Amino acid sequence: MIHSRNRRLRVNESIRGLVRECTLTTHDFVMPIFVMEGENKEEPIPSMPGIFRRSINLTVRECKELFSLGVKSVNLYMKVSDHLKDNTGKEAWNKEGLMQKTIKAIKDAIPEMIVMPDVALDPYSIYGHDGIIENGKIVNDATNEALAKMAVSHAEAGADIVAPSDMMDGRVLVIREALEESGFTDVGILSYAAKYASSFYGPFRSALDSAPKDDMEIPKDKKTYQMDFHNSREALNEVFKDVEEGADIIMIKPGLPYLDIVSKVRESIDLPIAVYNVSGEYAMVKAAAQNGWLDNDKTIIESLTCFKRAGADMIFTYFAKEAAMILNR
């Protein structure tokens, strides 16, 4: 006779819901948003069906809709005009720059929306790299100083949390000190602590035209600063350093192929953990769903729930709006 039957707790949805270990809600989502120059402009991103580059006014409209659906956090990226790009990234801290104007417009329209601008130089670089290049190499400390200026300018515009995604050594401390010295003691830092050099970023880079340029004089990829995907212990080392330097939230990127890293970090720290469900992961699900190979809605919810099960507290995902609509139904 069988005394222990695990299926007793799976008999119906009410019982399954009663014993469910993690629950997905709209408050878990951060929506990445692409912004472009102009007025009343909207451009589809072919490799990311359903995702657009929008001008500021249409971005604000989109943020209002997201907030009404329960998605209360956005992560901002700028499509920078070529004539504004150089090797210093100085446009990144222009008080009248596209990022700064976007932050202010969103906060003016929806004060309770959490705005997390990306802090990295690649959209502003003529080389498509996250750092300043000298003698064919990405230099660390000069890049950190530029990132600190960028972060402070975001705080001045009204950002709630700055999100350095560059993977320079020591940049969290430099940014934290710059924010403190400028009086922005309440502005948080969400650090991309374990960001891997991944093939899953392709659609994102096409959306911003931020891929490294094919130039023999500079690194052809980002492997000298982003992490080697063969490694996991290294991720913990990166995370611990960023925690010591003053990070408030830790990011692991990409997401689904790196759930083991999410789980290891969750066991090691008490800070909130973010995970990035990146553009390549989004594109794969969308392509399969469009071909009828996967159920779109069910696959989205299952994938996002995996992040919560692994230990993430928040999920940066291009599915945020769609997932919120599914959950609200």
Side-chain angles (χ1 to χ4, degrees), residues 284-294:
M284 288 192 301
V285 171
K286 281 300 180 185
Q290 287 177 351
N291 280 283
W293 300 332
L294 291 174

Side-chain angles (χ1 to χ4, degrees), residues 15-311:
I15 292 177
R16 292 191 295 271
L18 183 66
V19 300
R20 192 157 285 152
E21 296 174 24
C22 65
T23 303
L24 192 68
T25 77
T26 60
H27 295 283
D28 298 323
F29 303 144
V30 180
M31 180 71 180
I33 288 181
F34 300 115
V35 185
M36 61 185 293
E37 294 281 4
E39 185 80 10
N40 294 321
K41 287 189 175 181
E42 183 176 80
E43 294 178 353
I45 299 168
S47 57
M48 301 174 69
I51 303 299
F52 299 84
R53 288 182 289 263
R54 295 183 175 92
S55 56
I56 293 178
N57 65 313
L58 297 187
T59 296
V60 170
R61 186 181 71 180
E62 180 71 3
C63 287
K64 288 180 178 178
E65 187 172 352
L66 286 166
F67 198 84
S68 71
L69 290 168
V71 178
K72 299 185 177 181
S73 303
V74 291
N75 176 220
L76 302 180
Y77 298 89
M78 301 297 111
K79 175 67 171 68
V80 180
S81 300
D82 287 344
H83 74 278
L84 296 174
K85 297 181 181 183
D86 62 13
N87 187 36
T88 70
K90 64 180 182 297
E91 178 62 20
W93 55 89
N94 177 2
K95 293 180 184 294
E96 297 300 318
L98 182 60
M99 175 69 89
Q100 290 74 10
K101 289 180 179 178
T102 304
I103 295 168
K104 187 175 187 304
I106 295 172
K107 293 300 291 185
D108 284 348
I110 324 154
E112 294 182 7
M113 177 69 86
I114 299 170
V115 178
M116 304 184 193
D118 180 61
V119 178
L121 298 184
D122 50 333
Y124 303 88
S125 168
I126 54 173
Y127 298 116
H129 273 288
D130 293 56
I132 296 167
I133 292 180
E134 294 178 3
N135 300 318
K137 294 182 179 180
I138 290 87
V139 292
N140 194 92
D141 295 1
T143 296
N144 283 348
E145 295 303 319
L147 296 172
K149 292 178 185 177
M150 187 178 183
V152 170
S153 78
H154 293 173
E156 290 172 343
D160 300 282
I161 297 170
V162 294
S165 63
D166 55 285
M167 286 298 286
M168 297 297 119
D169 291 335
R171 91 279 205 211
V172 172
L173 180 59
V174 175
I175 291 171
R176 172 54 65 204
E177 290 178 344
L179 290 171
E180 294 286 320
E181 290 169 4
S182 301
F184 296 108
T185 56
D186 291 334
V187 174
I189 298 177
L190 185 150
S191 169
Y192 288 59
K195 180 180 180 181
Y196 285 82
S198 171
S199 299
F200 286 88
Y201 303 148
F204 172 92
R205 289 175 179 168
S206 66
L208 291 184
D209 187 27
S210 63
K213 299 299 182 278
D214 188 9
D215 187 325
M216 294 296 291
E217 301 300 318
I218 63 172
K220 64 181 180 179
D221 53 40
K222 301 189 177 186
K223 293 181 180 179
T224 65
Y225 46 101
Q226 294 179 359
M227 284 182 54
D228 184 342
F229 64 80
H230 299 85
N231 299 349
S232 62
R233 293 193 303 272
E234 183 186 7
L236 292 176
N237 184 29
E238 291 280 2
V239 166
F240 293 151
K241 280 184 168 60
D242 283 7
V243 172
E244 291 171 3
E245 290 177 13
D248 300 287
I249 304 169
I250 293 298
M251 168 73 85
I252 291 123
K253 182 180 181 181
L256 287 174
Y258 295 82
L259 292 179
D260 60 318
I261 307 301
V262 178
S263 182
K264 284 184 178 182
V265 172
R266 177 74 290 160
E267 292 173 357
S268 304
I269 68 169
D270 294 324
L271 286 183
I273 294 174
V275 64
Y276 206 128
N277 181 209
V278 301
S279 60
E281 299 167 45
Y282 176 90
M284 288 192 301
V285 171
K286 281 300 180 185
Q290 287 177 351
N291 280 283
W293 300 332
L294 291 174
D295 181 296
N296 182 77
D297 293 6
K298 290 179 180 178
T299 303
I300 289 172
I301 298 303
E302 181 179 346
S303 298
L304 298 178
T305 302
C306 288
F307 297 124
K308 294 293 296 292
R309 191 186 66 235

